[in-house]
């Protein structure tokens, strides 16, 4: 008796390609779904998010809000970069 998996002379037909293709699509869909939802964790869309309490972030917020002037910002930034190093 011939089934869908056997073709002509009894060997596997073109149907055997559908099973790996199906599972590859399922795995790709699953990875895409995980990546777009909770698998990302605390990271943003372009990589790990900067810590909001890091010294560089605090300095940037203080400068943006007008608490410190530009000269003080650059002076403190150079000191922080010497101590913590540049993190891009």
């Amino acid at each position: 008796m011939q089934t869908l998996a056997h073709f002509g002379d009894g060997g596997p037909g073109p149907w055997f390609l559908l099973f790996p293709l199906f599972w590859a699509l399922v795995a790709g869909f699953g990875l895409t779904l995980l990546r777009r939802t909770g698998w990302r964790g605390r990271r943003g869309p372009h990589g790990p998010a900067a810590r909001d309490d890091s010294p560089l972030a605090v300095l940037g917020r203080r400068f943006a809000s007008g608490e410190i002037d530009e000269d003080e910002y650059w002076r403190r930034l150079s000191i922080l970069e010497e101590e913590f190093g540049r993190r891009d």
Side-chain angles (χ1 to χ4, degrees):
M1 177 174 187
Q2 286 199 320
T3 63
L4 291 176
H6 294 286
F7 186 73
D9 61 351
W15 293 101
F16 81 98
L17 295 174
L18 290 180
F19 294 110
L21 181 64
F22 171 75
W23 287 112
L25 288 173
V26 167
F29 177 74
L31 287 173
T32 302
L33 184 65
L34 285 173
R35 194 176 157 137
R36 290 185 175 261
T37 58
W39 193 29
R40 193 179 314 172
R42 292 181 164 225
R43 293 184 306 154
H46 301 293
R51 289 182 30 205
D52 288 338
D53 59 343
S54 71
L56 294 174
V58 171
L59 181 64
R61 278 197 307 272
R62 289 186 64 198
F63 178 63
S65 67
E67 290 180 40
I68 58 175
D69 63 353
E70 185 177 0
D71 292 331
E72 187 174 354
Y73 170 79
W74 287 113
R75 183 177 54 81
R76 290 183 182 211
L77 182 64
S78 66
I79 293 169
L80 288 174
E81 285 179 346
E82 286 176 10
E83 185 175 335
F84 294 105
R86 184 96 175 144
R87 296 180 190 165
D88 287 332

